[in-house]
RNA sequence: GUGAAUGUAGCUCAGUUGGUUAGAGCACCAGGCUGUGGCCCUGGGGGUCGGGGGUUCGAGUCCCCUCAUUCACCCCA
């Protein structure tokens, strides 16, 4: 095989498209039920959108972008995420003239990573963003929206984890305290954490190495450093979640890799998925718009990975059963009857039936086998004897009952059958 | 980017210490039943053994490189 799909991509075959339709339809419906409206942004953007929005020092920008130069010498990149792109779109248009603006998207994202279960180089996110909203109600609203979607799809036992990473006022104070504490215990940290200490010290908090956990346990707690405004915000989010009956876990070690997050961060996960068990991740990003050179605008939102969501549905046995792609299979005997069989198929299609017609001129036995394989409930059989009398045999594949029906009454017969 | 495992028919897999024409089940096609699916029987089509190089009289089997998949790390959806 010399032609293969690029690494980390997948072909979604006809057997799988129904679950995608179902998930996407649910996402549209739930988002709209919260008053969110769909936005679509370009597949590629100028690199600067993500350099400034996501952050230069993040893994995404540093080593995961599909970057290229176009024929006009522009530095472009396949979007690695959508929030920065949406922020760019808002700046460029008049949408934000009348806040709040509630948006959602279902878009592909591209990151050059080593693939594994639940991680692809092209993946799809259902994302939701509320712009121009400052209060904790908005944070709770997007979490509730994600919950609604997961519930609607039949999922239970997903864990919501919640934390606050502070704002531009209090985060630096905590960061400083943490770095100074960790530096004193540098020798006790794992190699990864020694590097994290330089680049992204907050990451040390959720290291899984026992030794690091022990060090962290004795160090400064992020929540102790929250400023009053951030603390009030967090308890506001919790109060709203409680009012909605949404159960969550406070997780002081939950942090986010992207620069633009502030205050609220949250994840919704499903343990059975293995290492990539986070289905939904989000938070607040009040500083993003300014980082992109625009007027400051508070915002909160999340990204929900559809591939991971579908893996979860699969693991929970929630995939829809296979359904027949057709209502009627039109079989005929002998090439000369092809045109008349086509006419019959056409008539049925115009009457709203989904029809597959024999295309290979095989034996009746083979045609029936094919119809069975397709789970077609009915087969219309046209042979020379029938044609002579202007009728057709209609076979019910489930009961094996057969009846002759005049060709001109066929459409009506099926209409009554399915009505 | 790091570590490990795996690549043989459309699918799931056998294939002995290296030995002649590489197999099975399922799926597909045909026939048994010259116009009727499911069960059964018989036959048939399908393979660059992931790719390239090497060792050898001889490589699916051993060695090197490469590509891909899977799992984990980093990180993330």
């Amino acid at each position: 095989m010399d032609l293969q799909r690029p690494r980390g991509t997948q072909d979604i075959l006809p057997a799988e498209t129904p679950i995608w339709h179902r998930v996407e339809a649910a996402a549209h419906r739930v988002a709209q039920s919260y008053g969110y409206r769909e936005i679509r942004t370009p597949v590629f953007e100028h690199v600067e959108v993500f350099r400034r929005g996501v952050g230069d020092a993040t893994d995404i920008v540093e080593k995961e972008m599909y970057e290229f130069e176009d024929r006009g010498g522009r530095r472009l990149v396949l979007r690695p995420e959508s929030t920065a792109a949406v922020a760019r779109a808002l700046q460029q248009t008049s949408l934000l003239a009348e806040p709040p603006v509630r948006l959602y998207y279902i878009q592909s994202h591209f990151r050059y990573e080593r693939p594994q279960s639940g991680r692809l180089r092209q993946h799809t996110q259902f994302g939701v963003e509320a712009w121009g909203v400052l209060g904790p109600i908005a944070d709770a609203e997007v979490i509730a929206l994600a919950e609604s979607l997961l519930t609607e799809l039949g999922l239970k036992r997903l864990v919501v984890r919640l934390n606050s990473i502070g704002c531009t006022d209090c985060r630096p104070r905590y960061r400083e305290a943490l770095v100074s504490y960790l530096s004193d215990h540098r020798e006790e940290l794992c190699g990864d954490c020694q590097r994290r200490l330089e680049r992204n010290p907050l990451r040390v908090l959720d290291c899984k190495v026992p030794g690091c956990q022990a060090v962290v346990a004795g160090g400064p707690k992020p929540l102790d450093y929250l400023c009053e405004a951030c603390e009030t915000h967090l308890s506001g989010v919790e109060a709203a979640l409680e009012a909605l009956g949404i159960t969550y876990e406070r997780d002081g070690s939950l942090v986010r890799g992207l620069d633009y997050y502030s205050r609220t961060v949250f994840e919704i996960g499903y343990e059975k998925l293995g290492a990539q068990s986070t289905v939904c991740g989000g938070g607040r990003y009040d500083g993003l718009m300014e980082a992109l050179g625009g007027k400051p605008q508070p915002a909160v939102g999340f990204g929900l990975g559809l591939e991971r969501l579908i893996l979860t549905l699969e693991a929970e046995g929630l995939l829809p059963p296979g359904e027949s792609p057709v209502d009627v299979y039109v079989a005929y005997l002998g090439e000369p009857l092809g045109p008349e069989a086509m006419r019959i198929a056409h008539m049925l299609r115009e009457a709203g039936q989904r029809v597959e017609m024999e295309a290979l001129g095989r034996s009746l036995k083979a045609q029936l086998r094919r119809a069975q394989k397709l789970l077609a409930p009915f087969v219309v059989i046209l042979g020379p004897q029938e044609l002579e009398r202007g009728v057709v045999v209609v076979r019910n594949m489930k009961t094996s009952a057969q009846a002759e029906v005049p060709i001109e009454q066929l459409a009506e017969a099926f209409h009554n059958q399915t009505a």
Side-chain angles (χ1 to χ4, degrees):
Chain A
M1 183 97 52
D2 52 344
L3 290 180
Q4 334 187 31
R5 76 179 80 90
R7 189 167 199 199
T9 62
Q10 57 183 173
D11 297 308
I12 300 173
L13 303 177
E16 296 143 4
T17 44
I19 183 62
W20 280 87
H21 281 296
R22 179 164 148 196
V23 165
E24 286 163 6
H28 283 289
R29 201 198 66 72
V30 171
Q32 286 167 21
S33 80
Y34 279 76
Y36 286 67
R37 299 203 292 160
E38 187 181 6
I39 186 170
R40 302 187 187 192
T41 67
V43 201
F44 52 87
E45 295 273 353
H46 291 289
V47 255
E48 280 312 302
V49 172
F50 303 106
R51 281 200 192 288
R52 281 150 66 180
V54 175
D56 254 325
T58 58
D59 276 17
I60 287 183
V61 170
E62 219 168 53
K63 50 185 207 192
E64 295 178 1
M65 292 206 295
Y66 276 94
E67 217 177 322
F68 62 98
E69 187 171 297
D70 75 2
R71 289 169 186 277
R74 285 169 278 257
R75 295 303 305 174
L76 301 174
V77 55
L78 297 183
R79 62 173 173 237
E81 59 107 52
S82 282
T83 298
V86 168
R88 190 231 82 227
L90 290 175
Q91 268 182 30
Q92 225 174 341
T93 61
S94 57
L95 252 190
L96 257 178
E98 301 168 38
V101 178
R102 290 180 166 93
L103 300 172
Y104 77 92
Y105 57 82
I106 298 175
Q107 296 195 145
S108 288
H109 302 108
F110 307 85
R111 294 180 198 168
Y112 189 86
E113 296 185 278
R114 197 89 170 246
Q116 72 188 72
S117 174
R119 163 183 293 150
L120 297 161
R121 290 185 171 181
Q122 174 178 358
H123 78 278
T124 315
Q125 278 183 41
F126 165 58
V128 150
E129 322 198 326
W131 285 91
V133 288
L134 194 52
I137 293 297
D139 305 43
E141 179 177 284
V142 299
I143 294 173
L145 196 162
E147 273 282 306
S148 296
L149 174 62
L150 299 171
T151 306
E152 167 148 339
L153 290 169
L155 287 169
K156 307 174 189 88
R157 299 189 289 109
L158 293 180
V159 184
V160 181
R161 284 183 299 276
L162 179 70
N163 194 25
S164 174
I165 57 169
C167 59
T168 47
D169 279 343
C170 52
R171 189 158 33 155
R173 289 211 323 269
Y174 173 66
R175 193 187 154 108
E176 215 171 288
L178 183 68
V179 170
S180 111
Y181 168 80
L182 291 178
S183 300
D184 291 343
H185 297 78
R186 197 187 162 84
E187 296 310 312
E188 301 157 51
L189 297 174
C190 70
D192 280 333
C193 282
Q194 299 194 3
R195 276 190 298 106
R196 289 182 179 118
L197 186 51
E198 313 293 327
R199 305 193 55 84
N200 197 345
L202 293 186
R203 277 272 157 221
V204 177
L205 294 181
D206 67 350
C207 181
K208 294 159 198 100
V209 177
C212 301
Q213 296 263 313
V215 173
V216 166
K221 302 280 176 293
L223 294 178
D224 296 338
Y225 282 77
L226 287 188
C227 65
E228 209 171 312
C230 284
E231 217 171 294
T232 310
H233 188 88
L234 179 58
S235 45
V237 176
E238 294 182 314
L241 288 180
E242 274 151 31
L244 288 168
I246 293 174
T247 54
Y248 64 91
E249 280 172 16
R250 272 281 285 279
D251 183 349
S253 67
L254 182 62
V255 287
R256 305 259 85 192
L258 315 189
D259 281 3
Y260 55 57
Y261 284 106
S262 57
R263 286 191 172 165
T264 309
V265 294
F266 67 94
E267 285 185 0
I268 304 179
Y270 179 71
E271 311 72 12
K272 282 202 240 166
L273 270 194
Q276 263 58 51
S277 62
T278 298
V279 170
C280 174
R284 178 164 278 281
Y285 31 91
D286 294 344
L288 173 58
M289 199 59 97
E290 203 174 1
L292 288 175
K295 210 174 82 187
Q297 278 289 348
V300 59
F302 66 74
L304 194 154
L306 295 193
E307 286 82 3
R308 286 185 190 177
L309 174 56
I310 287 170
L311 283 178
T312 309
L313 291 171
E314 216 170 293
E316 289 287 277
L318 292 170
L319 297 188
E323 280 179 12
S324 177
V326 298
D327 303 310
V328 188
Y329 189 89
V330 174
Y332 66 97
L333 293 139
E335 279 311 311
L337 300 190
E340 178 62 7
M342 269 193 108
R343 194 181 72 85
I344 291 168
H346 185 72
M347 227 167 64
L348 289 170
R349 291 181 183 125
E350 290 204 309
Q353 303 293 321
R354 295 173 305 161
V355 182
E356 174 168 325
M357 190 184 116
E358 169 64 11
L360 300 175
R362 294 114 108 209
S363 66
L364 181 57
K365 185 194 185 92
Q367 297 188 56
L368 283 169
R369 210 167 22 228
R370 164 80 177 179
Q372 176 183 246
K373 197 97 193 180
L374 290 172
L375 302 174
F378 293 99
V379 174
V380 164
I381 303 167
L382 176 71
Q385 298 161 24
E386 287 79 19
L387 182 58
E388 216 169 282
R389 285 181 294 133
V391 300
V392 102
V393 170
V394 176
R395 181 178 179 87
N396 181 323
M397 291 298 277
K398 201 158 190 179
T399 65
S400 296
Q402 295 197 163
E404 286 195 346
V405 178
I407 291 174
E408 301 316 318
Q409 291 170 27
L410 238 198
E412 195 187 346
F414 273 108
H415 180 76
N416 296 338
Q417 184 67 244
T418 52

